[in-house]
Amino acid sequence: RKEVEQDPGPFNVPEGATVAFNCTYSNSASQSFFWYRQDCRKEPKLLMSVYSSGNEDGRFTAQLNRASQYISLLIRDSKLSDSATYLCVVPNTGTASKLTFGTGTRLQVTL
Amino acid sequence: DTGVSQNPRHKITKRGQNVTFRCDPISEHNRLYWYRQTLGQGPEFLTYFQNEAQLEKSRLLSDRFSAERPKGSFSTLEIQRTEQGDSAMYLCATSRTVGYTFGSGTRLTVV
């Protein structure tokens, strides 16, 4: 099993739609998780942190299911500006605090 | 500019040449990471510094790659005898505790 696995997409949705991405991880000892957003040819930027069962920030909701080792990201009322690649990220449990990234899920929001 | 700065932004080099990239972190950030990202993939960890000490290196970092952070501030990543497979975006990220800030990256093209 890959350390972090995501559906690469692309997900093509109309403006206003609700879309959800899932991510599975292999290290059951992982305690915290992140979703990063990456625009084309730009660096990744932190979107949300998930430390317990979930986190909500406006139109974005991240949920964590430790038993099944998956994390989800829900985007409600999609905007054109949400078009990007969404990276699921799991920190290493060692001392280096390095991050393991999924391959990313590409979202394209259309009119 | 108080962000993470990477130079150059783009580098085109002939196969077999040496290249060096520079990363200037956010001041007070004692942790510095180098990642590599190829098209359609998430960033992959290369190496990690805490202050001037290089504490972890990925097996992806072959003998042709070397990184330094001589005074615990800026860092350099050198690739010797470049190969076409080295073409990628090289991302630097820094942090103080939790949470990364990425630089804009250096895009390397080996022709």
Side-chain angles (χ1 to χ4, degrees), chain A residues 34 36 38 41-44 51 87 95-104, chain B residues 31 33 35 37 40-43 45 48 56 89 91 98 100 102-104 107:
Chain A
F34 305 100
Y36 275 70
Q38 187 171 29
R41 303 182 81 84
K42 301 281 190 181
E43 73 275 22
Y51 294 105
L87 297 158
T95 56
S97 299
K98 69 183 183 188
L99 302 180
T100 299
F101 287 79
T103 55
Chain B
R31 297 179 177 181
Y33 305 79
Y35 282 77
Q37 186 174 24
Q41 301 297 315
F45 171 78
Y48 157 64
E56 189 168 343
M89 172 79 89
L91 291 160
V98 295
Y100 277 26
F102 279 91
S104 300
R107 184 170 295 280

Side-chain angles (χ1 to χ4, degrees), chain A residues 73-93:
Chain A
L73 178 67
L74 183 78
I75 305 175
R76 289 180 296 277
D77 188 23
S78 301
K79 311 287 185 195
L80 292 174
S81 57
D82 294 333
S83 298
T85 296
Y86 291 84
L87 297 158
C88 175
V89 185
V90 180
N92 181 274
T93 51

Side-chain angles (χ1 to χ4, degrees), chain A residues 16-78:
Chain A
T18 296
V19 61
F21 310 135
N22 288 330
C23 166
T24 57
Y25 61 95
S26 61
N27 186 355
S28 59
S30 297
Q31 295 295 310
S32 58
F33 307 87
F34 305 100
W35 283 100
Y36 275 70
R37 171 193 169 129
Q38 187 171 29
D39 293 294
C40 188
R41 303 182 81 84
K42 301 281 190 181
E43 73 275 22
K45 291 186 178 176
L46 180 64
L47 178 66
M48 295 186 77
S49 305
V50 189
Y51 294 105
S52 56
S53 61
N55 189 14
E56 185 171 331
D57 182 5
R59 297 182 296 108
F60 297 83
T61 301
Q63 290 190 314
L64 168 63
N65 183 319
R66 290 189 189 277
S68 301
Q69 291 180 216
Y70 83 76
I71 316 136
S72 64
L73 178 67
L74 183 78
I75 305 175
R76 289 180 296 277
D77 188 23
S78 301

Side-chain angles (χ1 to χ4, degrees), chain B residues 22-34:
Chain B
R22 177 176 169 129
C23 172
D24 286 273
I26 294 171
S27 57
E28 314 109 31
H29 280 197
N30 59 345
R31 297 179 177 181
L32 188 146
Y33 305 79
W34 284 98

